[in-house]
Amino acid sequence: MYRVAIVGASGYTGGELLRILAVHPQVEVSVATSREYAGKFVYYAHPHLRGFYKLKFKKLDNPDQLSEVVGDVDLVFLALPHKVSLHYVPKALEIGLKVVDLSADYRLKRLEDYKIWYGYEHPYPDILEKAVYGIPELYSEKIKGAQLVANPGCNASSSILATVPVAAEGLIDLDHLVVDVKVGSSEAGAKPYRGGHHPEREGTARPYDASGHRHVAELEQVLREFTGRDVKVAFTPHAVSMIRGSLASAYSWLTRDVSELDVQRAYAKFYAKKPFVKIVRGAPMPYPDVKNVYGSNYAEVGFAVDKRVGRIAMFAAIDNLMKGAAGVAVQNMNLMLGLPEDEGLKYLVPVRP
């Protein structure tokens, strides 16, 4: 039985990690930290987990306390805010732990991108170089040998899953790629703030960060790797009236006359033997729907070819807290520990309605 720690376990993502791992057959959570709930049982922050854990939250104030607080574990999940995880990662690696970092602090490979998108100069370029970007459908072999995996952003994940298969096949005009993402309020985290708080999002739909959202840097980085050229994407997220879910709708012009079957083959080739990606075509629902993936690590992908104007629409639907955060973090953990990729995840069937 492998032992793991969750640092920053009282938020939505921490709660989802605890929920998944409560029934994982080969992994147990031995430590969960929270400064706010230190000394209290896990169910004080996550009432739905009452009866599943006897754990109490431990307090962890700084990276130098990491070894003392987490003890003898095999892997640590860092579910901490951006710029906080930054300094915990080196300490975790120093004491020999495998790390899945759910912040953005090690996702981008170009140092200058951190200045552009996060407003700071990255202090650990050597560690950044070794970090593996954590989308298993793209990088499973690298993840298997990694000591540090940088978990992707939720909106980046849905956008990447929608676009990379056709971009890699050269089917779309990379100079004219537009991505529109609709995302639920849980993306904003457990601490309410104006605009992110669910009552401010219920009953409405509105764009945010329309002049440039940070997750586009991840999408452009992956597209650059799979196409061999720089790509700039017009990317706009929308806050919509739902709690969970990230639906990416991407649009571009086709580079040649292709049939729907050609496009479907591109997706099928790319996602062959990928256990958590479902290609959606035909009746009863011809396009991806976030309601079909709630509470699971599954992703639905799909497309539409508009032959009249030579355009393609590409779609991906995920649960932002699962395939966009905790679910894929556990998938990455499985690969890092040499376990089956779908262990503890395959039977988390989506919840509907």
Side-chain angles (χ1 to χ4, degrees):
M1 183 71 78
Y2 290 99
R3 291 157 52 87
V4 301
I6 304 171
V7 174
S10 61
Y12 289 149
T13 301
E16 286 293 81
L17 285 169
L18 286 162
R19 180 176 71 91
I20 299 166
L21 295 173
V23 294
H24 196 292
Q26 298 194 58
V27 173
E28 67 175 6
V29 179
S30 58
V31 178
T33 78
S34 169
R35 287 187 294 181
E36 182 179 353
Y37 293 95
K40 294 182 178 179
F41 286 107
V42 162
Y43 66 76
Y44 270 78
H46 308 294
H48 60 301
L49 297 179
R50 185 189 295 267
F52 289 95
Y53 285 98
K54 295 181 180 179
L55 272 182
K56 289 184 177 180
F57 287 112
K58 290 187 175 183
K59 190 175 185 180
L60 177 60
D61 287 320
N62 62 71
D64 291 332
Q65 298 173 341
L66 188 63
S67 179
E68 177 186 350
V69 172
V70 304
D72 184 21
V73 297
D74 300 289
L75 180 143
V76 61
F77 294 98
L78 297 177
L80 298 169
H82 309 318
K83 299 185 185 178
V84 177
S85 242
L86 186 65
H87 303 294
Y88 278 85
V89 167
K91 182 57 68 173
L93 295 175
E94 180 185 310
I95 62 178
L97 297 178
K98 291 181 182 291
V99 182
V100 177
D101 178 28
L102 285 88
S103 82
D105 288 335
Y106 291 88
R107 293 174 186 165
L108 305 179
K109 289 300 182 184
R110 290 180 173 177
L111 288 173
E112 59 268 27
D113 284 340
Y114 278 97
K115 294 180 182 178
I116 295 169
W117 296 104
Y118 292 92
Y120 69 88
E121 187 168 335
H122 205 289
Y124 305 110
D126 54 332
I127 298 176
L128 190 65
E129 186 178 347
K130 297 174 184 175
V132 176
Y133 189 61
I135 293 190
E137 288 72 23
L138 278 60
Y139 304 112
S140 61
E141 291 305 311
K142 290 182 179 180
I143 292 167
K144 288 176 183 177
Q147 197 71 14
L148 167 62
V149 168
N151 226 52
C154 58
N155 294 329
S157 293
S158 58
S159 303
I160 288 166
L161 292 171
T163 59
V164 170
V166 288
E169 285 292 315
L171 298 181
I172 59 173
D173 179 358
L174 294 172
D175 291 321
H176 299 90
L177 178 57
V178 176
V179 177
D180 174 314
V181 179
K182 278 86 172 176
V183 65
S185 59
S186 58
E187 178 211 32
K191 298 291 184 185
Y193 62 89
R194 184 71 180 269
H197 194 29
H198 188 75
E200 297 291 335
R201 298 169 75 132
E202 177 61 27
T204 189
R206 64 170 176 271
Y208 66 97
D209 290 346
S211 60
H213 188 282
R214 294 167 171 178
H215 287 181
V216 75
E218 298 172 46
L219 171 59
E220 291 177 351
Q221 175 174 273
V222 172
L223 287 171
R224 182 169 63 244
E225 182 172 343
F226 277 84
T227 65
R229 53 158 290 186
D230 283 335
V231 181
K232 290 186 177 179
V233 180
F235 184 98
T236 304
H238 290 75
V240 298
S241 183
M242 61 185 181
I243 295 173
R244 288 176 179 257
S246 175
L247 174 67
S249 301
Y251 310 96
S252 185
W253 306 110
L254 290 162
T255 55
R256 57 183 184 271
D257 185 27
V258 297
S259 68
E260 290 193 347
L261 184 58
D262 293 327
V263 178
Q264 186 164 353
R265 283 174 177 155
Y267 279 101
K269 174 184 171 183
F270 202 88
Y271 292 127
K273 298 182 180 179
K274 304 302 181 185
F276 293 109
V277 179
K278 302 177 182 181
I279 300 171
V280 178
R281 294 290 293 154
M285 302 174 73
Y287 305 117
D289 184 340
V290 295
K291 208 170 196 56
N292 295 335
V293 295
Y294 275 4
S296 81
N297 192 52
Y298 290 94
E300 288 192 346
V301 300
F303 65 92
V305 174
D306 185 350
K307 283 192 168 292
R308 186 180 66 87
V309 293
R311 180 184 70 99
I312 184 172
M314 301 149 277
F315 309 106
I318 63 172
D319 182 326
N320 62 293
L321 293 178
M322 288 293 293
K323 191 60 174 165
V328 75
V330 172
Q331 189 179 353
N332 286 325
M333 175 206 73
N334 284 336
L335 290 167
M336 294 170 79
L337 296 178
L339 299 173
E341 182 176 353
D342 59 359
E343 194 82 302
L345 292 165
K346 60 184 173 183
Y347 298 127
L348 289 177
V349 178
V351 177
R352 186 180 174 92

